[in-house]
């Protein structure tokens, strides 16, 4: 609905609660929702911090799909850092991270 200011605190609270509960995949997914809002509103500095945090979560978790997840997050981080990230890219990365645990051989491809 375009109510970005109202969505951010709620999404941040959800991400924090998931992280507190040790649900790192869910915390990352929720934080990428925040990043999507931030990219949409051109708040790239904050979105960059979310990317860094997500990368750290995956490095710490050391899951079977950590390498492909890190590839997707690194590409997103670079796009955010260079201010070329779009809502579509963040959404694509979030969807990829949702699928890769169930499809560990799934390769990440930059969206067209």
């Amino acid at each position: 609905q375009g109510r970005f200011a109202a969505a951010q605190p709620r999404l941040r609270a959800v991400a924090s609660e998931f992280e507190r509960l040790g649900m790192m995949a869910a915390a990352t997914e929720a934080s990428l929702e925040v990043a999507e809002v931030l990219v949409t509103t051109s708040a790239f500095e904050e979105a960059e911090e979310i990317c860094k945090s997500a990368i750290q979560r995956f490095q710490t978790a050391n899951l079977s799909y950590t390498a492909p997840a890190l590839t997707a997050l690194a590409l997103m981080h670079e796009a955010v850092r260079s201010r070329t990230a779009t809502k579509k890219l963040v959404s694509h990365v979030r969807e990829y991270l949702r699928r890769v645990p169930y499809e560990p051989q799934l390769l990440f491809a930059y969206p067209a």
Side-chain angles (χ1 to χ4, degrees):
Q1 295 179 346
R3 298 184 328 196
F4 300 121
Q8 281 189 49
R10 290 178 178 165
L11 290 169
R12 289 178 194 271
V14 167
S16 294
E17 185 64 14
F18 281 142
E19 191 163 5
R20 187 186 70 76
L21 293 170
M23 300 170 66
M24 294 309 165
T28 300
E29 188 175 329
S31 67
L32 290 180
E33 292 273 356
V34 175
E36 187 174 330
V37 170
L38 293 169
V39 165
T40 301
T41 60
S42 298
F44 291 102
E45 295 83 14
E46 289 181 76
E48 189 173 352
E49 291 305 314
I50 288 173
C51 290
K52 289 178 186 177
S53 179
I55 288 169
Q56 288 175 337
R57 278 191 199 111
F58 274 98
Q59 287 173 331
T60 302
N62 197 27
L63 302 166
S64 61
Y65 55 90
T66 293
L70 288 175
T71 299
L73 287 168
L75 288 170
M76 183 178 126
H77 179 249
E78 182 56 31
V80 168
R81 194 181 64 69
S82 66
R83 312 299 190 253
T84 60
T86 63
K87 178 182 181 201
K88 181 179 179 180
L89 171 65
V90 178
S91 177
H92 183 69
V93 170
R94 191 179 66 250
E95 181 58 32
Y96 175 78
L97 293 178
R98 188 178 298 139
R99 288 180 57 195
V100 76
Y102 306 103
E103 303 173 59
Q105 301 304 319
L106 182 65
L107 298 176
F108 179 78
Y110 211 83

